[in-house]
Amino acid sequence: MAHGNDRGLSAQWPYPQLVAHRCGGTLAPENTLAGFDACVRYGYRMVEFDAKLSADNELFLMHDDTLERTTNGHGSGVALGWPALSQLDAGAWRGAQFAGTRLPTLAEVAGRCARDGVAANIEIKPFTGREVITGMMVANGARELWQGQTPPLLSSFSFDALAAARDAAPSLPRGMLFEHVPADWLRIVRELDCVSLHASHLHLSEPLVAHIRAEGLRVLAYTVNDPARAQLLAQWGVDMICTDRLDLLTHDMLPAAPAIPS
Ligand code: G3P
Ligand code: MG
């Protein structure tokens, strides 16, 4: 039987099979509007990105808790407000042509999704210790910012963040993120009233995908960069494939996912 916070969503699934990881995969600096440009350029119609909350409560995109991998800053970003974060260069690390690229706000990305007709998987990626407030603020922000658009699919590795998102905006669809799918996955996704389960493709199998879908849930696999692997996962019934290689994976190479059991 289908479960989830919106049973109609499972029957009329609004999301495409391919999802651009961290906005533009490896074709642009991750979690930036330059990545979003790559997503659109390659004809992708859904984007995944990592959402954080600054110390002064601005919602913005970044993956790590620390700044040095993807910006010209140093140390933890947890104590920084938006005036400091918004000055960082989030593009030069990826190549001189991206120098001057800024960290985008969630509002900027919502505007691009509306303009370009791109659906969103917002991964709630809290600074450590900020799980509940970030889950709540992302869900509230997403509900406001995506009004009139396809509802963004909220996901997180953090149970507490996703529970806070559920309480703040129960109508937004949720997907629980795992690297390895734990033995008690069904209890967790039911408690969070999820519509989907997201997992590393390295730890998925055909029987596990079938079991998850038999419970009425959709499956997202990350991060799949090999076309043959993407085709196999789609044959198993994986509904969404999150990839860094927008240049290699195309919608026409994938078999349609089997119907979700009703
Ligand atoms: O949401 C799928 C994927 O983005 C999870 O891993 O570390 O790239 O955020 P990560
Ligand atoms: Mg992510």
Side-chain angles (χ1 to χ4, degrees):
M1 176 199 275
H3 287 259
N5 55 332
D6 180 348
R7 285 155 205 256
L9 192 72
S10 194
Q12 296 172 8
W13 190 242
Y15 306 116
Q17 281 180 290
L18 287 174
V19 183
H21 184 226
R22 303 186 190 177
C23 286
T26 48
L27 302 176
E30 66 184 51
N31 288 313
T32 68
L33 296 181
F36 202 102
D37 290 340
C39 168
V40 172
R41 193 163 65 246
Y42 281 90
Y44 274 49
R45 291 178 287 110
M46 185 160 181
V47 67
E48 183 269 357
F49 52 81
D50 305 295
K52 278 185 153 48
L53 184 66
S54 71
D56 57 352
N57 291 335
E58 180 69 62
L59 294 164
F60 71 104
L61 273 55
M62 194 169 73
H63 183 278
D64 300 358
D65 275 12
T66 51
L67 301 170
E68 36 273 280
R69 187 177 64 83
T70 60
T71 79
N72 61 341
H74 299 282
S76 172
V78 67
L80 296 184
W82 187 242
L85 290 164
S86 63
Q87 293 305 309
L88 294 171
D89 187 318
W93 67 278
R94 198 71 187 73
Q97 70 273 34
F98 297 113
T101 301
R102 301 298 175 197
L103 297 170
T105 63
L106 190 67
E108 287 175 309
V109 177
R112 291 297 304 273
C113 285
R115 189 190 83 181
D116 296 323
V118 171
N121 171 201
I122 305 177
E123 186 192 332
I124 306 167
K125 188 79 99 179
F127 284 112
T128 303
R130 304 255 289 155
E131 287 80 8
V132 171
I133 182 76
T134 305
M136 183 189 79
M137 295 285 282
V138 169
N140 282 333
R143 188 187 50 220
E144 299 286 320
L145 293 165
W146 265 263
Q147 270 179 34
Q149 298 192 56
T150 300
L153 177 57
L154 306 183
S155 62
S156 190
F157 286 108
S158 165
F159 180 94
D160 291 345
L162 215 50
R166 173 202 60 198
D167 295 343
S171 67
L172 289 183
R174 287 172 298 284
M176 186 64 202
L177 248 173
F178 300 110
E179 185 180 354
H180 290 258
V181 179
D184 59 346
W185 61 269
L186 189 55
R187 179 189 62 75
I188 294 168
V189 299
R190 290 287 185 252
E191 195 168 335
L192 293 169
D193 203 9
C194 290
V195 298
S196 55
L197 185 151
H198 305 198
S200 166
H201 80 95
L202 299 172
H203 306 296
L204 287 173
S205 64
E206 187 169 16
L208 179 56
V209 170
H211 187 180
I212 295 166
R213 295 184 94 250
E215 293 293 345
L217 293 148
R218 303 289 180 150
V219 180
L220 177 145
Y222 71 89
T223 304
V224 185
N225 295 329
D226 174 53
R229 179 69 176 169
Q231 286 169 326
L232 182 65
L233 289 162
Q235 276 166 24
W236 290 353
V238 169
D239 298 277
M240 294 175 284
I241 289 169
C242 189
T243 181
D244 282 327
R245 294 304 302 268
L246 286 55
D247 52 334
L248 291 183
L249 270 59
T250 57
H251 288 87
D252 60 4
M253 68 173 55
L254 298 179
I260 195 94
S262 56

